[in-house]
Amino acid sequence: MHPAVAMFLVMFGCWANVVTLEMMTTVHPGCGNLVTCSQFIVIAIHGFVFTMKCGTVASKIPYKAYFMMVGLYFAASVINNHALKYGIPMPLHMIFKAGSLVANLIMGMIVLGRYYPRHKTVSVVAITIGIILCTYASKSAPVPPPAAADSAPGTSTTADTTTSTTPSTPEHGAADMWYGVLLLVTALLLSARLGIFQEVLYRDYGRHSQQALFFTHVLPLPMFAMLSSDLLHHAALFSASEPVVAPLLPIAVPRLWLILLANVCTQYICISSVFHLTESCTSLTVTLVITLRKFISLIFSIWYFSNPFHREHWIGSLLVFAGTLVFTDPFKLLTPAPAPAAQKVKAKAQ
């Protein structure tokens, strides 16, 4: 796949995935584990049939490396989903994850010993300030109540009040908000470490993105057994949603299950394109593409879902994405031009 095509599919697939995710979490904020489990199952089945040819293709990368990738990937996914239960508005969730560029830079310096020029350091400071500003602006932002139409029979309009494992009300205090922010920080560092790990792995063993996609989704499946009660609870809530008639289906299907199906399909497009992109680009470039995608998703989320977005949010998001632009320096205005070959040889001789 050409890198430009992969970039476009990342933009489209991940944007559509965020839209469908918010359509579900607006109704049932704690459904993230069910969504993630569904994504893993479908992608694992697809990879087993089409990539591994039903087990007839051998792995090109040692299994122990895949287990490390799985641990990081699974932990980051679950922690990100869990943060939504603590009053984290979706715009803040997306803006905060835009800090993955900062986390990737820090991990590159710590793990790979890379050096970054001054303008990149300035951009990191701008991005960090922007995220902090958005965090403060969102700490008292109200979370919109779930729609009554999709509550399970016999329950109140609060979606997740039927079990003690989820919050009993959509209202969250400042302590819950900062606990959610701590979860986002943890997930951010784990995701950055995963990107660096993949870059080193592909350098040492070759680029086998589709096999990596399969193993990172099939190996974590047994871990979802620990979340079985939560998965069954939200599956029942999804089944109780309003039935709708979809094209090519002879019967009515609960609306949230159809949205989940769309979410799984767009997730496959997104994550598969990201893995393709890792074959031809560095971890930092991949992180930049994902960051720009988050900006598009952010604007759509504010407009379509009427999420709270104040002046501080705009200033913070401007700092985040302006810092991203300075960091990448697409027009090479801040990056010094390389010295001519003759001058390099002369300087080396001296």
Side-chain angles (χ1 to χ4, degrees), residues 2 9 12 20 22 26 32 85 87 89 103 156 191 198 204 212 214 300 315 329:
H2 192 277
L9 291 177
F12 169 77
T20 54
E22 186 160 3
T26 299
K85 295 184 179 182
S156 67
S191 297
Q198 286 178 304
D204 295 341
F214 166 72
F300 185 86
I315 297 174
D329 190 19

Side-chain angles (χ1 to χ4, degrees), residues 9-21 266 270 293-294 296-301:
L9 291 177
V10 168
M11 294 288 185
F12 169 77
C14 297
W15 164 78
N17 184 258
V18 168
V19 171
T20 54
L21 175 63
T266 54
C270 175
R293 183 274 303 172
K294 290 168 185 172
I296 299 174
S297 301
L298 169 67
I299 298 302
F300 185 86
S301 174

